[in-house]
Amino acid sequence: MVCVGIDVAKDKHDCCILDSEGTTLVDCFTIPNNMDGFKSLLQTIQDCSQKSDKIKVGLEATGHYSYNILGFLLDNDLPVYVMNPLHTNLYRKSLSLRKTKTDRVDAKTIATMLLSDVDLKSYTDTAYHNEELKSLTRYRFDKVQERAKLKQSVSRLVTILFPELEQLVSSIHGTSIYALLSEYPGAKQISEAHLTRLANILVKTSRGHYRKDKATHIRDTARTSIGSVMPAKSLELKHTIKLIQELTSEINEIEDAIRKIMDELKPPILSIPGMGFHSAAMILAEVGDFSNFNSPDKVLAYAGCSPSTYQSGKLTNCYAHMEKRGSRYLRYALYTATKYVCYWNPVFTEYLTKKQAEGKHYNVALSHATKKLVRLIYALQKSGKAYLAVT
């Protein structure tokens, strides 16, 4: 066996090659993060191995820094093992009491872990190509979060400029209200607007939901509003609404790209009643290749949904807190999906009600339902069967 440890960085990668006995075949060396460096590494690995040798290449999950070298290694049919940095850090500390951490030490630590850890699963082409879906779902998540903050700003500004408006409409974040505020960003501007123009904006953008009587009511209320007249805030409101509209357009474009990938994958988990399209996409993107997980519990641990344990002598933790050490995106997607599945799926509704009847807090009961949902997702993805076919 030939084990290659790679410590990934932005501009260079430190490498170390060991044999099955732990003997150093090639002491730690550095390659630049370019094609010449990649080819040099491949040539070094080939020089140190025979055709009959089993080669293992390990590197840490360091986000975008490791993506290019990972793709190069997979393209050259080398089995790659992507490790959790937390795991390698603890392993390095277990080897020595000295407080030593360098790139060269990390490279050798990774190579040593490849020799000792038999539970490691190699990175697959499925997981590598799944990175596109992961990039899209995370990008959408960040955009949605950004839009949510801007919507809070709109609520704050409307409270200053026209506080009564929120009581007049079902939501101030509707398309028609945004169109109204974009042209008349404040109670004073609305009170001075021509009624016909005001009504046309509302009727057209709301597709007939709001009519002339609503426009009249809004203008009459604006004339007696306690809203402040602040041109600077009005300008901020117009620009914030414009940013929200631009973000919404970008999010729609991202969702179209996600939908194309999901239409090709046709995952069985979409057959679960209540499983949303976006949650399903994020779950698949974060988990990647389900064959890398031996059981649903491993998926839960990867999401950081497993309960933490502490025991020393007679002392034990009285309340098992959730670890929250895994993928926050996966954890968010699972909990969001669970809420809707518990609403639309009678089996999960009954299960959640049962847990609450046992005296558990709603969030605790929901965490139990999440574990049940993960078991179902795991079974469907491994079998390739739809939910109705399984039940």
Side-chain angles (χ1 to χ4, degrees), residues 21 25 35 54 58 84-85 116 126 130 144-145 148-149 153 177 195 211 230 239 288 312 356 385 388:
E21 302 298 325
L25 295 177
M35 184 54 70
K54 181 180 180 181
N84 190 324
S116 60
T126 302
N130 197 63
V144 170
Q145 295 290 98
K149 290 180 181 179
S153 296
I177 305 304
L195 183 59
R211 300 184 180 276
M230 302 177 68
H239 287 183
S312 180
Q356 287 184 285
K385 297 179 180 179
L388 296 178

Side-chain angles (χ1 to χ4, degrees), residues 243-258:
L243 287 174
I244 290 174
Q245 291 170 339
E246 290 175 354
L247 276 173
T248 300
S249 177
E250 292 174 5
I251 290 169
N252 291 337
E253 188 176 351
I254 297 168
E255 289 176 352
D256 288 341
I258 293 173

Side-chain angles (χ1 to χ4, degrees), residues 4 83 87 107 128 167 182 225 228 266 287 290 344 361 387:
V4 184
M83 303 176 181
H87 192 187
Y128 178 71
Q167 306 299 323
S182 294
S225 173
S228 302
K266 296 179 181 177
V287 174
F290 276 81
W344 292 102
H361 186 275
Y387 175 74

